[in-house]
Amino acid sequence: MAKNTLSQIYLPLILALCLVGLGFFIKNTNVGAVFPPPTQLFYSGMEESTFSDWEYRDTDWGQTGSKAKCENKSAAVKKTNGSDNDIRTFGISTIGYDNIKLNFWYEISENLEGGDYVLAQWSWDNTTWNTLANYNNMSAGAWIYQSLSLPTGADNKPNLKIRFRADLDSNSDEFRLDCVQLTGMAVCTDADGDGYCSNVDCDDSNANIYPGATEIPADGIDQNCDGKELCYLDADDDGYRPDLISTVLSPDLDCVGDGEALSTDPTGDCNDSNSNVYPGVIEICNNIDDDCDGQIDENLTRPTSC
C-alpha cells in the first residue's frame, strides 16, 4: 500500500482520537475542585472519650494502654468465650452520603492459628452481616493500616452497623484495633449540569452560577458563590462613578452601601474622593474644577482674593 494511502487512513484516525482526548480533558478540568473531601462520620481512638461510643462492646474486648497506634490506648481481644464471638459494634447514619469507607489500624500481637479469626463486617438492617475482611492464620507483626470500601448498599442508610467479630481459641492469640474511622462523600446532586454539586453550588438551578464563575457587577446575583457582590465604585457617595469599570466588593447584593454604585449611576466624576465635585455641580470660586468640565472657576467674576 502506498505511503500516501496509509496517511489518508491513519492521520484522520489519530486526529479524531486526539480531539476526543482533548474534549475529555476540557470537560473534566474542574473535577476534584467540585467535590468536597470525605466527611468523617465516626471515629474512635479507643480512648475513654470514644471507647464508650461503641453501642455494643463484649467484655473480652479490653481497652489497653500497653500498645496504641494513634493516641494512648487501643482495643485488644484475646481468647474468646465462644458464646457471642466477642463483638464490638457501632451504628451510624449514612443518609446523604455515598462512597462509604471503613478505615482502621490493626496489629496481630500474637499469632492467629488456622481456626482463629477476626472479621470486619457491616449490615444495613442489623440482621444480615456482610464480611469486608477476614483476619485468620496470621503471624504476629507490626501495625497495618486498612481501608475498606463498602458496597453501594451501605450508602444513604439511617442506621448502618459496623462490627468487629472475633473467635480466638487461646490466650496466646491477640488482635489489636485502633483509630477506627468511617467516612463518606456527600451525595452529589447537580441539577443545572454546571459540574458543581448542590452542596457547593449556591444556585443549582442556574448553570451560570457556581464557585469560581465570573461575577457580573451590580446585577444583584452572586455568580461565584462567595456570598458577596461586585459593585461599581462611587467612593465619595456623590451619585457619580469615576468611570465605567472601577468596582468594589460588597458584603451584600444591593450595591447601595457606602462607596457602592449601580450600573445605572452616571459616570464622569473627576475626583471621586470629594463629594462636592461631580458633573453638573455649580462651579464656585475655589480654584477647583467642581463640575468636571475640564475648566477651573469658569464664568465666574474672580475677586482679588480668589
Side-chain angles (χ1 to χ4, degrees):
M1 185 180 292
K3 288 184 177 180
N4 60 346
T5 303
L6 287 171
S7 298
Q8 291 171 353
I9 294 174
Y10 289 108
L11 283 178
L13 179 60
I14 294 171
L15 179 60
L17 290 173
C18 289
L19 289 174
V20 169
L22 179 62
F24 178 82
F25 174 77
I26 293 173
K27 183 178 180 181
N28 289 274
T29 51
N30 62 353
V31 172
V34 177
F35 295 92
T39 299
Q40 180 173 281
L41 305 177
F42 176 88
Y43 176 78
S44 176
M46 304 304 174
E47 309 302 303
E48 282 79 1
S49 59
T50 59
F51 198 68
S52 59
D53 291 343
W54 298 76
E55 62 186 47
Y56 178 79
R57 304 178 305 281
D58 186 274
T59 55
D60 284 332
W61 280 92
Q63 188 183 35
T64 175
S66 61
K67 271 192 175 183
K69 179 60 184 177
C70 294
E71 300 174 57
N72 300 311
K73 295 183 179 181
S74 64
V77 60
K78 283 180 172 289
K79 181 179 180 181
T80 61
N81 57 31
S83 61
D84 57 14
N85 293 312
D86 296 276
I87 297 168
R88 291 186 62 84
T89 306
F90 70 84
I92 200 76
S93 172
T94 61
I95 295 292
Y97 295 93
D98 58 15
N99 293 302
I100 309 299
K101 285 191 175 182
L102 175 63
N103 311 307
F104 55 91
W105 286 85
Y106 74 92
E107 181 192 56
I108 310 298
S109 300
E110 299 180 30
N111 294 346
L112 303 186
E113 288 76 30
D116 301 321
Y117 64 79
V118 177
L119 306 177
Q121 298 180 308
W122 71 277
S123 174
W124 64 271
D125 61 359
N126 203 27
T127 301
T128 304
W129 289 92
N130 307 280
T131 298
L132 294 167
N134 184 352
Y135 305 98
N136 65 83
N137 197 23
M138 299 175 68
S139 300
W143 284 98
I144 297 174
Y145 178 70
Q146 184 82 76
S147 182
L148 304 173
S149 296
L150 277 68
T152 56
D155 301 343
N156 216 42
K157 292 294 184 288
N159 192 16
L160 180 74
K161 300 287 188 180
I162 299 292
R163 75 180 184 185
F164 291 85
R165 180 175 181 173
D167 189 354
L168 308 179
D169 61 10
S170 77
N171 283 326
S172 63
D173 309 320
E174 185 175 37
F175 182 92
R176 292 179 182 268
L177 182 67
D178 205 356
C179 328
V180 178
Q181 178 193 50
L182 194 75
T183 65
M185 295 289 291
V187 174
C188 178
T189 301
D190 183 15
D192 57 13
D194 60 8
Y196 286 79
C197 301
S198 59
N199 59 334
V200 294
D201 190 337
C202 56
D203 186 350
D204 204 29
S205 65
N206 189 332
N208 296 314
I209 297 176
Y210 52 85
T214 300
E215 192 74 22
I216 299 174
D219 65 348
I221 300 172
D222 180 17
Q223 276 90 7
N224 62 6
C225 296
D226 65 352
K228 302 174 183 178
E229 172 66 312
L230 194 65
C231 299
Y232 288 107
L233 177 67
D234 178 12
D236 57 10
D237 291 317
D238 58 9
Y240 284 81
R241 298 184 281 151
D243 50 53
L244 291 170
I245 60 174
S246 296
T247 56
V248 62
L249 199 61
S250 173
D252 52 49
L253 301 180
D254 56 24
C255 290
V256 295
D258 293 343
E260 302 169 5
L262 298 168
S263 60
T264 53
D265 291 330
T267 60
D269 191 337
C270 55
N271 185 349
D272 203 31
S273 63
N274 188 336
S275 61
N276 296 314
V277 175
Y278 53 87
V281 74
I282 296 174
E283 189 80 20
I284 61 175
C285 185
N286 58 4
N287 206 34
I288 294 174
D289 179 16
D290 303 285
D291 58 5
C292 295
D293 64 354
Q295 301 179 67
I296 296 175
D297 296 344
E298 72 277 11
N299 302 320
L300 296 175
T301 301
R302 295 172 59 85
T304 303
S305 61
C306 181

